[in-house]
Amino acid sequence: MSCVHYKFFSRLNYDTVTFSGLHITLRDLKRQIMGREKLKATRSDLQISNAQTKEEYTDDDALIPRNSSVIVRRIPAGGVKATSRTSVTSRTEPVSGTPKAVCKSTGSHLYLHTALNSEQRSLV
């Protein structure tokens, strides 16, 4: 029996996949790893690279020689998508001449904000 040693990027120890023959295809290796780790193919895919050369295997028909060691990373099924969402945070600066005060009692805190808001309204 031949084997390929694999470990997820975040793990310390290697696990082993056994097969017959001199090589295993990337597709079969992914299938066996996903089965052993109880991962669902619909939710994620595996990115596999050679542990020594850091070469990433991208072709599903690529042959991985027996006794190789590979590093596995789990990625989303559709690949990694860049987000185009941007968030804009607006900040309001205090009106010049009105200091920001911090108070611990809620009564005076409410009074201070009411006074500042009425003063700011009169400036507009």
Side-chain angles (χ1 to χ4, degrees):
M1 283 304 236
S2 301
C3 65
V4 168
H5 305 282
Y6 73 94
K7 85 174 189 79
F8 280 86
F9 184 76
S10 60
R11 292 189 186 162
L12 297 175
N13 299 323
Y14 281 88
D15 289 313
T16 305
V17 169
T18 58
F19 59 94
S20 60
L22 299 174
H23 304 283
I24 186 171
T25 63
L26 180 61
R27 179 181 300 113
D28 291 338
L29 180 62
K30 284 182 180 181
R31 191 174 298 135
Q32 284 196 26
I33 293 172
M34 291 183 102
R36 287 191 59 151
E37 301 292 330
K38 297 183 176 108
L39 299 172
K40 296 188 180 192
T42 57
R43 292 187 181 183
S44 62
D45 193 16
L46 298 179
Q47 180 183 37
I48 298 180
S49 57
N50 187 303
Q52 284 77 31
T53 65
K54 310 294 187 222
E55 174 192 0
E56 182 182 342
Y57 298 107
T58 55
D59 183 17
D60 279 343
D61 295 323
L63 297 176
I64 301 170
R66 67 179 178 177
N67 300 326
S68 294
S69 297
V70 295
I71 306 293
V72 180
R73 292 178 193 223
R74 192 170 68 169
I75 57 173
V80 179
K81 295 180 182 177
T83 60
S84 60
R85 288 177 52 182
T86 57
S87 61
V88 177
T89 305
S90 67
R91 295 184 179 174
T92 57
E93 297 296 323
V95 177
S96 67
T98 59
K100 278 190 165 181
V102 177
C103 58
K104 295 194 180 194
S105 65
T106 51
S108 60
H109 183 72
L110 179 63
Y111 175 76
L112 178 64
H113 281 290
T114 306
L116 285 177
N117 285 338
S118 63
E119 183 182 328
Q120 288 173 352
R121 274 187 248 133
S122 66
L123 292 174
V124 177

